[in-house]
Amino acid sequence: QKEVEQNSGPLSVPEGAIASLNCTYSDRGSQSFFWYRQYSGKSPELIMFIYSNGDKEDGRFTAQLNKASQYVSLLIRDSQPSDSATYLCAVNTRSNTGKLIFGQGTTLQVKP
Amino acid sequence: DAGVIQSPRHEVTEMGQEVTLRCKPISGHNSLFWYRQTMMRGLELLIYFNNNVPIDDSGMPEDRFSAKMPNASFSTLKIQPSEPRDSAVYFCASSLTGSGNTIYFGEGSWLTVV
């Protein structure tokens, strides 16, 4: 079992719709969770992080964490074509040393 | 404020040659990470340093790979000898431990071994 799993997609949504990206992780002791966005040919850039169960909102983005189910998700409201990218879920390991393990990423396509 | 700086941005080399990738982390950051990204395997952590000391090198593929961090502002990842399967994008990233462990990536070094 991979430590961090994501559906590779592509996930295709129409412009203006809500995109829902999901991630599961295997280490129940993981402490912090991150979503990075990566445009083709570019480096990953941080979108959001979440530490506590529940929702965390930042503009059009909402991160959701459920530690009991070992599940973290990212919702993008009012999706725009510029949101088309690969979204990487990353999990901080139990040791909390800063070591992040990344999922394979989900490719999102927002169609005008 | 300057981000993580990597060089070279692109390198094409012949199999068997030595490759050295360089990284300057964000000033003040005390953790540095080397990741490798390929289509097949995604983003893999190769090694990370904390306060210039290698903490976990379990992701280093084999003895052909080595990494050093002689001081807080410089790190190298060396591949000797290089092989075609080493072709990938190599990212350096840095963070400040205790700041939520958010890591920031450089622009990557695109390596092609022919």
Side-chain angles (χ1 to χ4, degrees), chain A residues 1-104:
Chain A
Q1 180 187 10
K2 291 183 179 179
E3 293 182 79
V4 181
E5 296 206 53
Q6 297 179 255
N7 187 319
S8 62
L11 173 66
S12 183
V13 300
E15 184 175 357
I18 296 175
S20 178
L21 305 161
N22 305 314
C23 172
T24 58
Y25 59 95
S26 60
D27 187 345
R28 185 170 291 277
S30 297
Q31 299 292 322
S32 48
F33 309 85
F34 302 79
W35 283 99
Y36 282 78
R37 177 177 62 200
Q38 186 175 26
Y39 291 112
S40 180
K42 301 295 186 182
S43 59
E45 56 178 335
L46 180 70
I47 299 176
M48 293 187 68
F49 57 85
I50 185 167
Y51 304 139
S52 304
N53 277 328
D55 295 0
K56 179 181 180 182
E57 187 174 319
D58 184 0
R60 296 187 295 113
F61 298 95
T62 299
Q64 299 175 318
L65 175 62
N66 183 326
K67 289 187 176 180
S69 300
Q70 295 175 239
Y71 175 92
V72 58
S73 64
L74 179 69
L75 301 179
I76 306 175
R77 290 182 299 281
D78 188 23
S79 296
Q80 301 298 309
S82 59
D83 294 326
S84 298
T86 296
Y87 289 80
L88 299 164
C89 173
V91 177
N92 182 239
T93 59
R94 180 188 294 265
S95 63
N96 203 31
T97 58
K99 174 181 174 180
L100 290 188
I101 304 299
F102 284 80
Q104 286 276 80

Side-chain angles (χ1 to χ4, degrees), chain B residues 5 7 9-11 24 29-30 33 38 40-43 48 50 54 64 67 76-80 104 110-111 114:
Chain B
I5 300 172
S7 64
R9 290 294 315 281
H10 298 271
E11 176 142 352
K24 175 179 169 57
H29 281 189
N30 61 348
F33 308 82
T38 61
M40 289 294 295
R41 301 174 68 89
L43 198 57
Y48 82 94
N50 187 253
R64 297 185 297 107
T76 59
L77 177 67
K78 187 174 294 187
I79 308 172
Q80 166 64 21
Y104 298 89
W110 297 68
L111 174 65
V114 298

